[in-house]
Amino acid sequence: RVYTAEDALEKSSPTRSLSIEEARTWITTIAENEDLDPPALVRQNMSNDLLGLAFTDEWCIAVRKAKPTQLLLLHELAHLSCANKGHGAEFQRQLVEYVRKYISFTHAAELAQLLK
């Protein structure tokens, strides 16, 4: 359900794609604002059905594409910041909050509606 909602959001209201260096800077700023240790961000080969992964033990976000979207980066950061590592209610609330703070209120409202 989360992936379907995110795909619909990116189709109707695309978020910016960032170079790996831009993404590192952006995610570091967000992590510091959220009182989190900034995660490492790496580009990694992965299957075509995956765009990114969060590795809690390594405190790392891995992305497949050279220009990940802001939504993808916030999705993976939400995984790192939640105790429950799945896509449940805690994760969804955290993701919508990050989208509201770091992309826009409009994007967050649309995502929240799509997740219902």
Side-chain angles (χ1 to χ4, degrees):
R1 187 167 105 198
V2 171
Y3 296 135
T4 301
E6 289 175 339
D7 289 346
L9 179 64
E10 284 289 13
K11 185 174 183 179
S12 67
S13 304
T15 63
R16 286 183 52 222
S17 294
L18 305 172
S19 71
I20 293 296
E21 284 308 312
E22 290 171 326
R24 278 191 188 112
T25 300
W26 191 65
I27 210 72
T28 295
T29 299
I30 292 169
E32 289 171 351
N33 287 346
E34 298 297 323
D35 200 27
L36 297 168
D37 290 332
L41 178 65
V42 297
R43 186 166 178 220
Q44 181 174 313
N45 289 332
M46 53 184 77
S47 66
N48 287 341
D49 60 332
L50 291 173
L51 293 175
L53 290 169
F55 297 99
T56 307
D57 291 344
E58 293 84 15
W59 205 252
C60 176
I61 294 172
V63 295
R64 180 169 50 90
K65 293 183 177 181
K67 294 191 86 175
T69 65
Q70 291 175 312
L71 183 59
L72 172 67
L73 295 166
L74 293 179
H75 176 112
E76 301 308 337
L77 187 63
H79 277 303
L80 292 177
S81 65
C82 291
N84 179 340
K85 300 304 176 200
H87 289 123
E90 177 192 11
F91 170 84
Q92 290 177 34
R93 279 191 301 275
Q94 186 64 69
L95 178 59
V96 169
E97 178 66 13
Y98 284 164
V99 169
R100 183 188 66 75
K101 285 175 150 179
Y102 301 107
I103 298 176
S104 77
F105 179 81
T106 305
H107 281 84
E110 184 176 347
L111 180 58
Q113 187 64 37
L114 290 165
L115 288 168
K116 287 185 179 180

